Amino acid sequence: PRVRWSEVTARVEVHLHATADLFLGTGHGSGFSRASANFVPASTFLGAVVGRYRASHPGVNDAHLESLLRQVTSSDAAYVAGGSARFDWSEVALPLDRMPCKYPTVDCPATGWQWWQVPDGRCPNGCAVEPAKGERMAPKVRITRVALDASEQAVDDQLFQRQALDARQGELVCWVEGPPDALRELGLTEGALLRLGGARSVAGRASVTSVRPLTGRTDQAVNGFLRVELLTPGVYVDDFGFPSPTPAPADVQHSLGLSDAKVVRSFIRWGTVGGWSVAASVPKPEDPAVIPHSVFLVEVPVGADVPAVVSDLGLRTFEGCGWARVESLTGDAAQALSAEEVSV
């Protein structure tokens, strides 16, 4: 099993600058058009790191490379407009426990309201509210190309259009966890050139601009409740192996390092996780998953010390699923949640 967050495990924030369009196909589309994700999936980022490692270490032993990868995990690389001197995931998307107005007035905040501020479905200004969708906004472009024959002549009726992420005006930021020696050997250092996504001969170039250490900061559950926001998809199952919208108590307890913890309320949307196995040249299994920026409110013992970031909440964590940030639920939010539990 992968080494859990400890004094022997480093956690770093990696900043990337793209110098070309990124083809990050979602697997959906027709033969003519292909859609692209608006972020770099964790498996795509780690795949690019492995590709660079293989190129710089010809004849590397596969067993050694596999042992390195079993110790390392990564979050998605999210797009941040204009770069970020101090990155915060709140810049990436509106979490699902926020309630923006459907038809906002000039007095309504663009980031919406807290869930406990609109118990009757209307904001203080009288507008109807709806749950945020957790959508990550990023600039995209459509690129059309034509197929060429063996003599490099255009083939009739062979036009192909692909959507691409144009991240050149901002930065891509992700978090990576693993032993320091493994991260250094994989070449995650400033100046490293990576090839992300598809069509790597003409697209996908990105360079590492900085690698910043993240501290193993902890938080304290002051009122006995935590807010856990997913940063990557979450894959959860119930006792019978069927998809579940929330992690089981055992999963929460394992990830937080507590003996008693359970989800008491959730704000989620369904999605899927899949991908393509380059090594086997076959699609990865596609599982139902909770999308990033879904939020779980978790009940824990009062005063419990918990990590500010976890990377193993649920299944498929080796592929980047299960990253989440954790913070104590205090003030009006904790009171509102306590009142809901009493009423139930």
Side-chain angles (χ1 to χ4, degrees):
R2 178 171 53 81
V3 178
R4 284 179 55 81
W5 169 248
S6 67
E7 65 276 1
V8 299
T9 306
R11 186 175 287 154
V12 296
E13 180 178 289
V14 179
H15 290 240
L16 302 162
H17 175 65
T19 55
D21 296 319
L22 306 179
F23 292 116
L24 307 166
T26 62
H28 303 289
S30 65
F32 166 71
S33 179
R34 182 73 65 184
S36 174
N38 50 9
F39 60 93
V40 180
S43 58
T44 300
F45 172 76
L46 287 179
V49 172
V50 171
R52 182 180 183 277
Y53 182 83
R54 284 189 177 278
S56 58
H57 296 77
V60 63
N61 183 280
D62 287 343
H64 175 66
L65 179 56
E66 184 177 346
S67 69
L68 283 177
L69 293 177
R70 285 189 175 276
Q71 304 175 70
V72 176
T73 184
S74 164
S75 72
D76 299 333
Y79 173 78
V80 183
S84 176
R86 185 177 178 83
F87 174 69
D88 192 297
W89 283 94
S90 61
E91 304 173 51
V92 175
L94 209 57
L96 270 64
D97 62 343
R98 301 290 296 191
M99 302 289 170
C101 297
K102 288 184 178 180
Y103 308 104
T105 66
V106 293
D107 297 324
C108 297
T111 56
W113 305 88
Q114 299 282 1
W115 61 270
W116 46 267
Q117 293 177 313
V118 288
D120 58 352
R122 290 195 171 274
C123 79
N125 299 320
C127 305
V129 299
E130 61 182 350
K133 297 178 173 60
E135 185 178 5
R136 294 175 174 175
M137 304 304 294
K140 294 183 181 180
V141 294
R142 291 192 178 276
I143 299 173
T144 303
R145 291 193 172 94
V146 63
L148 302 178
D149 61 19
S151 60
E152 297 190 359
Q153 299 296 312
V155 180
D156 292 340
D157 301 322
Q158 290 291 313
L159 288 175
F160 299 92
Q161 185 181 82
R162 301 186 71 173
Q163 192 180 65
L165 172 63
D166 182 4
R168 283 171 287 199
Q169 302 304 313
E171 274 191 325
L172 296 165
V173 185
C174 67
W175 287 348
V176 184
E177 178 185 285
D181 290 344
L183 298 182
R184 280 194 296 269
E185 185 171 352
L186 286 172
L188 273 177
T189 56
E190 186 174 334
L193 180 64
L194 301 179
R195 300 279 184 167
L196 302 167
R200 290 184 295 276
S201 61
V202 295
R205 293 186 302 276
S207 58
V208 178
T209 57
S210 69
V211 179
R212 308 173 185 177
L214 293 173
T215 61
R217 186 177 63 85
T218 60
D219 205 346
Q220 191 175 61
V222 178
N223 291 319
F225 294 107
L226 301 174
R227 178 184 179 274
V228 179
E229 179 185 348
L230 287 178
L231 307 178
T232 59
V235 181
Y236 311 117
V237 295
D238 60 19
D239 293 340
F240 300 97
F242 291 103
S244 172
T246 58
D251 292 330
V252 180
Q253 292 162 15
H254 168 78
S255 189
L256 295 177
L258 300 175
S259 59
D260 184 19
K262 64 178 181 179
V263 176
V264 294
R265 182 165 180 179
S266 61
F267 304 85
I268 67 107
R269 286 173 67 92
W270 282 105
T272 58
V273 293
W276 183 266
S277 173
V278 176
S281 191
V282 296
K284 293 179 182 178
E286 189 169 272
D287 288 320
V290 175
I291 70 169
H293 307 292
S294 294
V295 175
F296 305 118
L297 303 184
V298 180
E299 185 177 8
V300 298
V302 175
D305 290 325
V306 294
V309 177
V310 297
S311 61
D312 55 359
L313 183 57
L315 305 177
R316 298 184 72 159
T317 54
F318 285 121
E319 299 173 44
C321 296
W323 280 77
R325 61 175 180 173
V326 182
E327 57 187 0
S328 180
L329 201 65
T330 58
D332 294 335
Q335 293 178 14
L337 188 59
S338 299
E340 283 188 1
E341 288 199 306
V342 170
S343 65
V344 171

